[in-house]
Amino acid sequence: MTVRVRLAPSPTGTLHIGTARTAVFNWLFARHHGGEFLLRIEDTDRERSRPEFTADILDGLAWLGLSWDAEPVIQSERIEEHRRAISQLLEAGLAYRCYASEDELEQMRERQKASGSAPRHDNRHRHLSSEQEQAFIAEGREAVVRFRIDDGATIGWSDLVRGEMRWSGSDLGGDMVIARRAPADRIGDPLYNLVVVVDDAAMAISHVIRGEDHIANTAKQLLLYEALGLPLPVFAHTPLILNPEGRKLSKRDGVTSVGEFRAMGYT
């Protein structure tokens, strides 16, 4: 097997020291195995993504000496591939359109909060009849696309850092939104967990090395790999860089970006 790893930063800010450390882990792993270190710019957050942040990320990685082995993949240029995957799931009955309004979802969350229940979607539109669906469309409702998650499923993988991992489908918050709200004859903007799976498979990524804050995402993504019939990568979840209180390092803790350290004279 050829080792192919990737760093997939979002250009919604400058290159964070935590992202840089994840890059080091990926780069070293690829170089150790004679493999490839690839970049993917995850710019599907249209409101917050900025070209100057992309430039900062690439410049910071180059300054650190972390060379990559192909032109960076730009995620937003692959949106039609993502929509094709969602269509495949819809046609197979593994995903469905959910017409719940924002007000209805907020009422659901308030009821759960009042009862002390864990927040989760109640999958209310999983089994709509065609007549019910047409009635929602006639009301002018738009729909998100949700991927079906079996509460009885057990999701497991062997993590290169954490060992054997097991998750229950019932702990994943109900059926997962994989496309934003749009008219019923269209598929809205595809969302993170879906696009990551499609793009990693298209890039033939062999090992996904990323922070442990993605562990719950990995459980969801494994279900999508299976549903789409895609080969599974090996996963490794690394500890995060934390502040003295044990929380994820953020701006309020002081300097966090590689560019700021560089400007301060660090080598």
Side-chain angles (χ1 to χ4, degrees):
M1 177 179 61
T2 300
V3 166
R4 288 169 64 91
V5 298
R6 51 72 166 176
L7 184 74
S10 175
T12 56
T14 55
L15 178 61
H16 189 276
I17 192 70
T19 304
R21 189 184 64 164
T22 299
V24 170
F25 291 148
N26 277 275
W27 186 88
L28 287 173
F29 190 82
R31 296 295 176 257
H32 177 75
H33 290 285
E36 295 179 296
F37 172 62
L38 306 176
L39 291 183
R40 183 173 68 239
I41 303 300
E42 297 195 338
D43 61 341
T44 50
D45 185 339
R46 299 182 185 183
E47 292 182 1
R48 297 169 58 221
S49 294
R50 298 284 184 272
E52 58 266 29
F53 292 144
T54 298
D56 178 87
I57 290 166
L58 299 179
D59 182 60
L61 292 172
W63 178 69
L64 290 166
L66 302 177
S67 54
W68 48 96
D69 297 309
E71 283 297 310
V73 171
I74 308 301
Q75 193 169 68
S76 60
E77 296 176 359
R78 292 182 37 77
I79 192 166
E80 291 311 314
E81 291 294 325
H82 307 146
R83 287 199 171 107
R84 274 193 281 274
I86 294 169
S87 293
Q88 178 183 334
L89 295 172
L90 286 167
E91 290 166 8
L94 299 173
Y96 62 94
R97 287 182 168 86
C98 174
Y99 296 86
S101 68
E102 286 299 330
D103 285 344
E104 290 168 341
L105 293 175
E106 184 58 33
Q107 290 168 13
M108 179 190 72
R109 288 188 284 264
E110 289 298 325
R111 286 195 299 271
Q112 291 170 344
K113 187 177 178 180
S115 65
S117 304
R120 60 174 285 121
H121 190 261
D122 59 9
N123 307 337
R124 62 182 62 187
H125 290 171
R126 183 190 273 192
H127 301 295
L128 288 179
S129 67
S130 57
E131 291 81 7
Q132 289 172 315
E133 189 161 4
Q134 288 303 315
F136 283 133
I137 294 171
E139 289 178 23
R141 292 200 186 202
E142 296 185 328
V144 300
V145 178
R146 289 187 179 272
F147 174 72
R148 297 172 183 262
I149 295 179
D150 178 6
D151 279 353
T154 299
I155 306 102
W157 72 93
S158 183
D159 194 283
L160 289 184
V161 175
R162 301 174 66 92
E164 294 303 314
M165 301 291 294
R166 290 290 180 273
W167 274 73
S168 169
S170 60
D171 292 331
L172 296 180
D175 293 342
M176 168 175 52
V177 179
I178 56 175
R180 288 190 175 93
R181 199 175 299 279
D185 61 343
R186 297 205 296 271
I187 293 172
D189 289 343
L191 292 174
Y192 172 77
N193 280 309
L194 183 284
V195 300
V196 164
V197 167
V198 172
D199 288 350
D200 280 345
M203 294 170 69
I205 298 302
S206 64
H207 295 74
V208 174
I209 304 170
R210 59 188 179 187
E212 62 186 9
D213 51 339
H214 282 285
I215 287 175
N217 286 331
T218 296
K220 296 174 182 178
Q221 289 165 18
L222 285 168
L223 295 174
L224 286 165
Y225 276 104
E226 179 182 3
L228 292 166
L230 299 173
L232 297 177
V234 177
F235 288 92
H237 291 89
T238 62
L240 305 178
I241 299 178
L242 304 177
N243 67 14
E245 286 73 44
R247 294 190 299 270
K248 188 174 178 179
L249 193 67
S250 71
K251 279 285 187 185
R252 63 177 170 268
D253 300 306
V255 174
T256 60
S257 81
V258 168
E260 288 173 312
F261 283 110
R262 180 181 180 180
M264 291 166 63
Y266 283 84
T267 58

